[in-house]
Amino acid sequence: MSERTTDEPTTDEPIRDEPITEEPTAVELTKTAPDTGEEPGGPGRSGRPGAASVPVRRRRSPALVAGCVLVGLIVAVALVSLFWVPYAPDDTTGGRLMSPGLPHLLGTDKLGRDLLTQLMTGARIALEAGLGAIAIGTALGLCAGLAAGFATRWLDDTLSTLLDVLIAFPTLLLAMLMVAARSASLSSAVLAIGFAMTAVVARLTRILVKRVLAQDYITAARTSGTSWPRVITGHVLPNIWPTLVVNLAQQFGLAVMTEASLSFLGLGAPPPNASWGRMLHEAQATVFTAPTGVIAPGVLLVMLVVGVNLIADGLRDALDPTRRRTR
Amino acid sequence: MNVPDPSMPEPHMPEPQASGTHGPVPHVPDTQIDGKVPEVETPEAKTAEVETPGAVISGAETPEAKVLDVTGLTIRTDQGRALVSDLSFSIAAGSRLGLVGESGSGKSLTALAVLGLLPPGMTASGSVVLRAATDGIGTEVIGATEQRLTGLRGRAATVVFQEPLTALDPLMRIGGQIAEPLRRRRGLRGAALRRAVEESLDQVRLPEPDRIIRAYPHEISGGQRQRVALAMALACEPALLIADEPTTALDVTVQAEVLALLDGLVAQRDMALLFVSHDLAVVSAVTDHVLVLKDGSAVESGSVDDILRRSRHPYTRDLVDSARHLESALERIVR
């Protein structure tokens, strides 16, 4: 600015403008020159295609770690209960409604049974219910979903309608029917939860399969003569797996909750098998006099379900290589 | 060179720009296009009845070994609209044919129909006979069972697609994807398989095989992905390679490289090539015969030279002119 005024006294504007406009461009050029010089050497442009050569640091997600710790604790307790519990589950020799103390670490219930013993066996039952339901739901749901995903229009519509009906059918009612047909037992509850889960898993699988089948890489694999079974095991399943596993982990938490509610209603494992749900039911009359009976199973239930959901979140990121890099 | 048409202002054509190691190889012009070029009016879409689905047609019937013989191919949607009508062409072993047309003209559908891979809801009629080069036995694709087709795909023909990012499985490492056809086709396992994968990568000039083998598709560049797709197709050792706009999704510089690579590898293996593209300049660089498609029917066919210089159909002339226009526009800018 100062140069301009000193060089030219104010006269003809358009002509005088020329040397002035040249000056800033010269400055800009010298400014941009080092910039362009930096770019090829810098990590931006040239580094991008080769970015994969830099080993991706597998940052373990905190959610996954926290989830594993929570679920790991419950699993450990369940495993220990297989070999050792402080008292026999049906041992009523302790005083009734004892508060936490020495002979009975967490106290006793209204029948004089040791709470810690019941909690430990309850952990086992909760895990059995979750795993059993997942096994049934995955086995049946995956098959039904794959069938619907590959089926002709007509079969697909029929299957989808059936699945919708099954999803709309209340799990509780299903469990009651199951108990009526068989007997009130853990296996009845697991069967009912498993069937209910089948519908959810099948519907998700169907959608995922349809989406994957529409992808070019499936067509590409088939143009090179890959057979359908190989396309399914090699391309379809690996590509639906990450989403499915996350969903299954969430379903596991849901199954544990459902089992607890069924037991709460007396539709689960009969005594002397202690289920957390039944413990809650039995302790509800004495919430104020002996709160441990309600708090302890409640806390464990929340721990397991939250832990499983945290694992689900962690898995979502860990299983997808395209996501891993963006994090 | 033939006598240039006086009506063409510039005799200078967009010459094949297949730069690189392999120039545009003058191929044996044995691509016979016996498709009757229909009149300008759309012909009555006649639906030939499907004859003997999956039937084995002995090679003795045809004098020359045609790897692909398409007659009266018509593709319809489930509403009955014809997307491709009465298309006929054939490709002899080792020869090349370009399928040109604007988007929506049915080029890619034709390529898929050749392998019996039409999207659900679409039906093909007419006849498509594929012949794996070695045994000389032809197979009718239309109406063939899935099992027969699976055996035929890859061996008789395979496809390189336009968009390599979507044509590669995003969750499978590159090594695994290339290994798949090698394992199936050559029965390789273990260390031999690994060596074969490295060889395939080397053939398509991909550097750092160790890194590429372990990489996922999103971790390599677009040009590298298309080379991988090409390597996968070549690993099938097909008699006919169908390239469906293989360079359209790439930058111009990468495009030329990949095109030259494709050209060289196909020539080297004496494969037949069906090159599908909207770009007349690209097609003329790689193929020797061209079939022009418009709205699903063939408008014109002939040698590259004929099409470029003596096109009879106005649509073809439009295509040629627009290619030429682009060329001259570029020339003007460069000058």
PDB file of all heavy atoms in Angstrom, chain B residues 88-102:
ATOM      1  N   SER B  88     -27.574 -60.160 -32.601  1.00  0.00           N
ATOM      2  CA  SER B  88     -26.807 -61.318 -33.054  1.00  0.00           C
ATOM      3  C   SER B  88     -25.370 -60.916 -33.321  1.00  0.00           C
ATOM      4  O   SER B  88     -25.112 -59.904 -33.962  1.00  0.00           O
ATOM      5  CB  SER B  88     -27.397 -61.885 -34.352  1.00  0.00           C
ATOM      6  OG  SER B  88     -28.724 -62.280 -34.157  1.00  0.00           O
ATOM      7  N   PHE B  89     -24.442 -61.673 -32.789  1.00  0.00           N
ATOM      8  CA  PHE B  89     -23.034 -61.486 -33.114  1.00  0.00           C
ATOM      9  C   PHE B  89     -22.280 -62.730 -32.670  1.00  0.00           C
ATOM     10  O   PHE B  89     -22.817 -63.569 -31.947  1.00  0.00           O
ATOM     11  CB  PHE B  89     -22.445 -60.242 -32.442  1.00  0.00           C
ATOM     12  CG  PHE B  89     -22.507 -60.249 -30.943  1.00  0.00           C
ATOM     13  CD1 PHE B  89     -21.452 -60.762 -30.196  1.00  0.00           C
ATOM     14  CD2 PHE B  89     -23.606 -59.738 -30.282  1.00  0.00           C
ATOM     15  CE1 PHE B  89     -21.508 -60.756 -28.804  1.00  0.00           C
ATOM     16  CE2 PHE B  89     -23.658 -59.732 -28.899  1.00  0.00           C
ATOM     17  CZ  PHE B  89     -22.616 -60.236 -28.160  1.00  0.00           C
ATOM     18  N   SER B  90     -21.066 -62.848 -33.158  1.00  0.00           N
ATOM     19  CA  SER B  90     -20.275 -63.982 -32.696  1.00  0.00           C
ATOM     20  C   SER B  90     -18.823 -63.560 -32.617  1.00  0.00           C
ATOM     21  O   SER B  90     -18.395 -62.607 -33.268  1.00  0.00           O
ATOM     22  CB  SER B  90     -20.441 -65.167 -33.645  1.00  0.00           C
ATOM     23  OG  SER B  90     -19.879 -64.841 -34.890  1.00  0.00           O
ATOM     24  N   ILE B  91     -18.080 -64.238 -31.773  1.00  0.00           N
ATOM     25  CA  ILE B  91     -16.666 -63.929 -31.586  1.00  0.00           C
ATOM     26  C   ILE B  91     -15.870 -65.213 -31.754  1.00  0.00           C
ATOM     27  O   ILE B  91     -16.151 -66.209 -31.082  1.00  0.00           O
ATOM     28  CB  ILE B  91     -16.405 -63.330 -30.195  1.00  0.00           C
ATOM     29  CG1 ILE B  91     -17.232 -62.061 -30.010  1.00  0.00           C
ATOM     30  CG2 ILE B  91     -14.933 -63.022 -30.015  1.00  0.00           C
ATOM     31  CD1 ILE B  91     -17.102 -61.445 -28.651  1.00  0.00           C
ATOM     32  N   ALA B  92     -14.914 -65.185 -32.670  1.00  0.00           N
ATOM     33  CA  ALA B  92     -14.080 -66.357 -32.869  1.00  0.00           C
ATOM     34  C   ALA B  92     -12.955 -66.359 -31.847  1.00  0.00           C
ATOM     35  O   ALA B  92     -12.638 -65.330 -31.251  1.00  0.00           O
ATOM     36  CB  ALA B  92     -13.503 -66.344 -34.275  1.00  0.00           C
ATOM     37  N   ALA B  93     -12.375 -67.517 -31.643  1.00  0.00           N
ATOM     38  CA  ALA B  93     -11.301 -67.647 -30.657  1.00  0.00           C
ATOM     39  C   ALA B  93     -10.194 -66.652 -30.966  1.00  0.00           C
ATOM     40  O   ALA B  93      -9.751 -66.518 -32.104  1.00  0.00           O
ATOM     41  CB  ALA B  93     -10.748 -69.061 -30.670  1.00  0.00           C
ATOM     42  N   GLY B  94      -9.768 -65.932 -29.970  1.00  0.00           N
ATOM     43  CA  GLY B  94      -8.646 -65.020 -30.128  1.00  0.00           C
ATOM     44  C   GLY B  94      -8.966 -63.702 -30.800  1.00  0.00           C
ATOM     45  O   GLY B  94      -8.085 -62.874 -30.966  1.00  0.00           O
ATOM     46  N   SER B  95     -10.208 -63.458 -31.174  1.00  0.00           N
ATOM     47  CA  SER B  95     -10.510 -62.190 -31.830  1.00  0.00           C
ATOM     48  C   SER B  95     -11.196 -61.237 -30.859  1.00  0.00           C
ATOM     49  O   SER B  95     -11.505 -61.593 -29.734  1.00  0.00           O
ATOM     50  CB  SER B  95     -11.385 -62.428 -33.046  1.00  0.00           C
ATOM     51  OG  SER B  95     -12.657 -62.823 -32.618  1.00  0.00           O
ATOM     52  N   ARG B  96     -11.431 -60.028 -31.331  1.00  0.00           N
ATOM     53  CA  ARG B  96     -11.939 -59.001 -30.423  1.00  0.00           C
ATOM     54  C   ARG B  96     -13.131 -58.259 -31.020  1.00  0.00           C
ATOM     55  O   ARG B  96     -13.123 -57.935 -32.197  1.00  0.00           O
ATOM     56  CB  ARG B  96     -10.844 -57.978 -30.144  1.00  0.00           C
ATOM     57  CG  ARG B  96      -9.639 -58.602 -29.533  1.00  0.00           C
ATOM     58  CD  ARG B  96      -8.545 -57.606 -29.456  1.00  0.00           C
ATOM     59  NE  ARG B  96      -7.418 -58.139 -28.704  1.00  0.00           N
ATOM     60  CZ  ARG B  96      -6.515 -57.395 -28.109  1.00  0.00           C
ATOM     61  NH1 ARG B  96      -6.594 -56.086 -28.187  1.00  0.00           N
ATOM     62  NH2 ARG B  96      -5.534 -57.949 -27.472  1.00  0.00           N
ATOM     63  N   LEU B  97     -14.097 -57.999 -30.190  1.00  0.00           N
ATOM     64  CA  LEU B  97     -15.266 -57.256 -30.634  1.00  0.00           C
ATOM     65  C   LEU B  97     -15.585 -56.171 -29.618  1.00  0.00           C
ATOM     66  O   LEU B  97     -15.555 -56.400 -28.419  1.00  0.00           O
ATOM     67  CB  LEU B  97     -16.465 -58.209 -30.765  1.00  0.00           C
ATOM     68  CG  LEU B  97     -17.803 -57.550 -31.098  1.00  0.00           C
ATOM     69  CD1 LEU B  97     -17.783 -56.963 -32.495  1.00  0.00           C
ATOM     70  CD2 LEU B  97     -18.944 -58.544 -30.967  1.00  0.00           C
ATOM     71  N   GLY B  98     -15.866 -54.967 -30.126  1.00  0.00           N
ATOM     72  CA  GLY B  98     -16.263 -53.879 -29.250  1.00  0.00           C
ATOM     73  C   GLY B  98     -17.767 -53.712 -29.309  1.00  0.00           C
ATOM     74  O   GLY B  98     -18.362 -53.765 -30.375  1.00  0.00           O
ATOM     75  N   LEU B  99     -18.372 -53.523 -28.139  1.00  0.00           N
ATOM     76  CA  LEU B  99     -19.810 -53.291 -28.070  1.00  0.00           C
ATOM     77  C   LEU B  99     -19.976 -51.843 -27.628  1.00  0.00           C
ATOM     78  O   LEU B  99     -19.653 -51.491 -26.498  1.00  0.00           O
ATOM     79  CB  LEU B  99     -20.412 -54.252 -27.044  1.00  0.00           C
ATOM     80  CG  LEU B  99     -21.838 -54.720 -27.207  1.00  0.00           C
ATOM     81  CD1 LEU B  99     -22.058 -55.310 -28.582  1.00  0.00           C
ATOM     82  CD2 LEU B  99     -22.153 -55.767 -26.145  1.00  0.00           C
ATOM     83  N   VAL B 100     -20.444 -50.992 -28.544  1.00  0.00           N
ATOM     84  CA  VAL B 100     -20.486 -49.561 -28.256  1.00  0.00           C
ATOM     85  C   VAL B 100     -21.922 -49.081 -28.194  1.00  0.00           C
ATOM     86  O   VAL B 100     -22.785 -49.566 -28.933  1.00  0.00           O
ATOM     87  CB  VAL B 100     -19.744 -48.772 -29.362  1.00  0.00           C
ATOM     88  CG1 VAL B 100     -19.655 -47.303 -28.986  1.00  0.00           C
ATOM     89  CG2 VAL B 100     -18.365 -49.327 -29.570  1.00  0.00           C
ATOM     90  N   GLY B 101     -22.153 -48.118 -27.322  1.00  0.00           N
ATOM     91  CA  GLY B 101     -23.477 -47.534 -27.241  1.00  0.00           C
ATOM     92  C   GLY B 101     -23.532 -46.641 -26.036  1.00  0.00           C
ATOM     93  O   GLY B 101     -22.697 -46.745 -25.145  1.00  0.00           O
ATOM     94  N   GLU B 102     -24.516 -45.749 -26.012  1.00  0.00           N
ATOM     95  CA  GLU B 102     -24.615 -44.854 -24.858  1.00  0.00           C
ATOM     96  C   GLU B 102     -25.145 -45.647 -23.665  1.00  0.00           C
ATOM     97  O   GLU B 102     -25.580 -46.779 -23.818  1.00  0.00           O
ATOM     98  CB  GLU B 102     -25.542 -43.692 -25.193  1.00  0.00           C
ATOM     99  CG  GLU B 102     -26.917 -44.162 -25.578  1.00  0.00           C
ATOM    100  CD  GLU B 102     -27.723 -43.087 -26.296  1.00  0.00           C
ATOM    101  OE1 GLU B 102     -27.200 -41.981 -26.466  1.00  0.00           O
ATOM    102  OE2 GLU B 102     -28.853 -43.377 -26.672  1.00  0.00           O
TER     103      GLU B 102
END
